[in-house]
Amino acid sequence: MVDVTEEEMDNPTFKRDTVLSDVHLHCPNKRHLMVRLNAVGQPVFLSYFKLIWNTEDSASEKHVREATTEREHQYRSGDELCDKDRNNLKKERELNSEGVEALLDDDGDLEVVRRPRSASDLEAEDLLRDRVYPVILMKAKEDAFEDEEQECTCSDVVKIEHTMATPLEDVGKQVWRAAFLLADYILFIRDTFRCCSVLELGGGTGIASIIMGTVAKRVYCTDVGEDLLAMCEQNVALNKHLMEPGRGEVKVKELDWLKDEFCTDPEAPYSWSDEEIADLHDHCTVIMAADVFYDDDLTDALFRTLYRITHNLRNSCTVYLALEKRLNFTLRHMDVTCEAYSHFRNTLHDLENLQDRKMKYTVEPIKLDFCQFLIYERIEQL
């Protein structure tokens, strides 16, 4: 629960240690109290995710360097100095350069300049970052979007509808950090994906596919569940302003890993046509997935689907997998373990060692020292 004072009820601020899934908003001063509910009764929110680097620019060294500099100065971890500390340190250096050994306060006491322990310990006005105000979607959808569309049409903002918390079967409706990490990497090597046809497995809210759609020719964003796919399709529509004219097509499709075939039922809203299946098999060269390894059975099903699809592709393919290594205490081990991650690694190892005359899978880790283009907390477990 986020606790705010009465004056701040209408301006709740997310700090660095705020976990999206744990945020519940209570804003009694709002004119409308009822948020819009999705088909299964979950409150739906709209978040703006600002790109640090303008996606319309080319991936030149100059822009990468500028993005890195801006990130280092404005969005570093908790060791960042606040304005007061920075000014004191500047005064101390100026005085020391004139021969004064230490900085003293008005009473003659030694004034020690300390870094704050974490950004969450600072007041909001001291944070060297933009405030993040969650936008609540009201029941009247048109009214909710009227102001936001006017304020936020720039090409460096991604708008995503999502829920804050869900049961396990609906986790795709939340926004997860590994999707941000994958989006960072897409933007970092964006020239690699130009004119590519891409398949995303377990696309969820669609943020990774939307970012990929800014550079790729065609993206098939897939998942299961009509309600989730409708949310994903809505997000694609909200971010049309990011797509290059005549390019960047994102198609939302159903793909169930527990089934051996594509959904081709013409009555199903997100089914595949024969032409789309043929296009995927003939032109897909990139497959990606983010934060889909949390259940052992689904992990097995995903790798079976991955094996089946890659065997039907005409061209060689690169698969990008991003995940967060989650630590959990288990009664079976009576210890903190990463069972889902361990099962993923074992299954990945089996795929790499698979003896197949037609296909050979090579696994390579990607170093996480690439630039950060979206504003989020990049943790060591990613």
Side-chain angles (χ1 to χ4, degrees):
M1 190 75 173
V2 176
D3 296 324
V4 292
T5 63
E6 184 175 351
E7 294 78 12
E8 296 173 330
M9 284 296 187
D10 289 333
N11 279 332
T13 302
F14 288 171
K15 295 185 177 181
R16 290 181 184 271
D17 59 350
T18 303
V19 180
L20 272 182
S21 302
D22 295 336
V23 172
H24 306 276
L25 299 178
H26 176 57
C27 301
N29 297 330
K30 288 290 185 183
R31 183 167 59 89
H32 301 292
L33 299 181
M34 175 66 72
V35 300
R36 182 167 66 84
L37 304 179
N38 61 20
V40 294
Q42 299 162 338
V44 177
F45 296 85
L46 177 70
S47 290
Y48 293 164
F49 299 101
K50 183 176 176 60
L51 293 169
I52 298 175
W53 175 50
N54 193 323
T55 57
E56 289 184 348
D57 296 334
S58 62
S60 64
E61 292 183 0
K62 175 183 177 182
H63 291 113
V64 172
R65 184 168 58 253
E66 290 174 351
T68 305
T69 302
E70 182 179 10
R71 177 170 60 89
E72 290 176 347
H73 282 288
Q74 296 186 13
Y75 304 103
R76 280 188 295 183
S77 60
D79 287 338
E80 185 66 64
L81 290 175
C82 64
D83 291 336
K84 182 179 178 181
D85 294 328
R86 192 186 307 281
N87 292 333
N88 287 341
L89 185 57
K90 181 179 179 181
K91 292 178 182 178
E92 180 183 9
R93 287 173 177 169
E94 291 174 352
L95 290 173
N96 285 339
S97 65
E98 297 174 0
V100 179
E101 294 183 356
L103 181 65
L104 305 178
D105 62 15
D106 296 336
D107 298 327
D109 298 322
L110 178 65
E111 185 168 288
V112 180
V113 179
R114 293 186 175 89
R115 294 174 183 263
R117 290 185 178 179
S118 66
S120 60
D121 296 330
L122 302 175
E123 294 296 329
E125 59 267 21
D126 291 330
L127 285 172
L128 299 179
R129 61 192 288 266
D130 295 334
R131 289 191 180 195
V132 181
Y133 296 118
V135 178
I136 299 179
L137 297 186
M138 306 307 172
K139 208 166 187 178
K141 185 176 179 181
E142 324 62 64
D143 298 337
F145 278 107
E146 185 175 353
D147 296 334
E148 284 76 15
E149 290 293 341
Q150 296 176 358
E151 296 175 2
C152 196
T153 57
C154 51
S155 60
D156 61 349
V157 172
V158 184
K159 295 178 284 187
I160 297 294
E161 277 194 19
H162 62 94
T163 57
M164 293 294 191
T166 62
L168 186 61
E169 60 269 19
D170 281 330
V171 292
K173 295 176 183 176
Q174 296 185 59
V175 183
W176 301 99
R177 267 187 290 244
F180 290 132
L181 183 73
L182 181 57
D184 279 343
Y185 191 68
I186 292 169
L187 292 174
F188 183 68
I189 60 168
R190 61 201 315 258
D191 288 341
T192 303
F193 303 116
R194 290 200 181 277
C195 301
C196 286
S197 289
V198 181
L199 170 67
E200 182 176 13
L201 301 174
T205 60
I207 186 169
S209 284
I210 290 168
I211 295 297
M212 180 64 82
T214 65
V215 290
K217 179 181 180 180
R218 183 173 293 110
V219 182
Y220 291 100
C221 181
T222 68
D223 216 310
V224 292
E226 186 173 337
D227 192 48
L228 171 60
L229 293 172
M231 175 183 283
C232 182
E233 189 173 53
Q234 169 70 4
N235 288 333
V236 172
L238 284 173
N239 292 280
K240 285 292 186 182
H241 61 286
L242 295 174
M243 309 300 175
E244 296 183 15
R247 295 178 54 185
E249 181 183 20
V250 178
K251 292 189 173 186
V252 179
K253 296 294 176 181
E254 177 182 335
L255 183 56
D256 191 340
W257 307 337
L258 300 177
K259 297 179 180 179
D260 294 333
E261 302 294 337
F262 291 94
C263 175
T264 56
D265 182 2
E267 301 297 325
Y270 299 99
S271 62
W272 296 71
S273 67
D274 292 339
E275 292 77 11
E276 289 169 335
I277 296 175
D279 175 66
L280 178 72
H281 289 159
D282 290 343
H283 301 106
C284 179
T285 56
V286 175
I287 298 177
M288 61 182 186
D291 247 333
V292 295
F293 306 102
Y294 55 89
D295 178 88
D296 291 355
D297 292 335
L298 288 179
T299 296
D300 293 339
L302 182 141
F303 275 98
R304 287 196 300 268
T305 300
L306 193 61
Y307 179 82
R308 173 174 56 86
I309 291 176
T310 53
H311 264 63
N312 290 318
L313 297 182
R314 173 176 293 183
N315 303 301
S316 60
C317 179
T318 303
V319 182
Y320 297 92
L321 304 176
L323 70 157
E324 181 176 338
K325 184 178 180 181
R326 292 181 172 84
L327 306 172
N328 297 295
F329 181 85
T330 61
L331 292 176
R332 183 171 66 173
H333 297 283
M334 293 301 292
D335 197 3
V336 176
T337 62
C338 305
E339 290 190 306
Y341 177 78
S342 298
H343 185 76
F344 159 75
R345 291 303 301 263
N346 291 334
T347 310
L348 187 65
H349 180 73
D350 292 341
L351 182 67
E352 186 178 23
N353 293 329
L354 184 66
Q355 299 295 327
D356 190 307
R357 295 181 179 179
K358 181 180 178 182
M359 301 286 294
K360 178 176 176 56
Y361 298 90
T362 302
V363 177
E364 297 180 5
I366 296 175
K367 293 182 179 180
L368 301 187
D369 56 354
F370 50 87
C371 296
Q372 184 170 339
F373 297 95
L374 282 157
I375 302 174
Y376 68 101
E377 191 75 7
R378 186 183 287 185
I379 60 176
E380 62 181 358
Q381 286 80 21
L382 282 173

